[in-house]
């Protein structure tokens, strides 16, 4: 099976979603300058999660009847947060359908999560999640990896910024849930276009 790397368009979408997350004030990045936020947003994975690694939660969401009115104000999440959640979910749904390996790289989505969400229509997926507040920081705010990413990931020095971002990516892929979803991890060794080549273009 061939595994293709992230495309420049994929990384543009990750960057835009990360920038929206950082500017929302939800990420603890209030002291960062707009330039630092722009550089940190270029981290090659989503800085927030929709719990894509929680297969059981998503199975429950998809098994229940969807919210009748997608635009109904449920009060579960503020408007800006709901918009970001819907945009991120739509991006990940499309990416999982086209390139599950890339979805794993940018969001820690499990293979099972991709298999759960891709058969349903986008509108049904959004409706099932509409009354839930799924967004959370990908790393604990008091974790060493988050502190390093926040302090160095937006640095004006390319090497410092890249080292912090790639270190966080390594943690995302190997440390947080060891032993889960081995297939995509092993696939990185067989990928025709290494992720590093794409990251360097950011």
């Amino acid at each position: 099976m061939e595994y293709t790397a992230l495309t420049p368009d994929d990384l543009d979408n990750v960057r835009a979603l990360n920038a929206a997350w950082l500017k929302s004030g939800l990420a603890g990045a209030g002291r960062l300058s707009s330039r630092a936020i722009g550089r940190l947003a270029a981290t090659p994975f989503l800085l927030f999660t929709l719990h894509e690694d929680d297969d059981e939660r998503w199975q429950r969401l998809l098994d229940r009847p969807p919210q009748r009115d997608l635009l109904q104000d449920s009060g579960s999440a503020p408007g800006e947060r709901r918009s970001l959640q819907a945009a991120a979910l739509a991006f990940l749904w499309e990416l999982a359908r086209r390139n599950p390996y890339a979805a794993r790289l940018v969001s820690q989505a499990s293979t099972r999560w991709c298999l759960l969400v891709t058969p349903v229509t986008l509108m049904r997926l959004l409706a099932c999640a509409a009354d839930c507040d799924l967004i959370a920081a990908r790393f604990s705010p008091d974790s060493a990896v988050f502190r390093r990413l926040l302090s160095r990931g937006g640095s004006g020095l390319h090497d410092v910024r890249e080292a912090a971002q790639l270190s966080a990516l390594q943690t995302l892929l190997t440390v947080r849930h060891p032993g889960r979803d081995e297939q995509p991890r092993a696939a990185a060794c067989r990928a025709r276009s290494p992720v590093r080549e794409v990251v360097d273009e950011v």
Side-chain angles (χ1 to χ4, degrees), residues 7-18:
T7 68
D9 284 346
D10 294 333
L11 289 172
D12 284 345
N13 281 308
V14 169
R15 185 188 299 112
L17 290 165
N18 280 340

Side-chain angles (χ1 to χ4, degrees), residues 148-159:
R148 183 168 56 247
L149 186 60
L150 199 59
S151 64
R152 301 177 187 173
S155 170
L157 300 174
H158 178 269
D159 289 348

Side-chain angles (χ1 to χ4, degrees), residues 6 10-19 21 40-50 52 84-85 87-89 91-92 95 102-108 136-139 149 168-169 172 176:
L6 291 160
D10 294 333
L11 289 172
D12 284 345
N13 281 308
V14 169
R15 185 188 299 112
L17 290 165
N18 280 340
W21 162 251
L40 182 56
T43 300
F45 60 85
L46 292 177
L47 296 172
F48 59 92
T49 177
L50 302 178
E52 311 90 330
L84 177 59
Q85 177 173 298
L89 190 52
F91 167 65
L92 289 174
L95 187 59
R104 168 69 170 105
L105 288 177
V106 303
S107 74
Q108 206 178 19
R138 189 162 297 284
F139 298 109
L149 186 60
L169 178 61
L172 176 76
R176 293 190 71 212

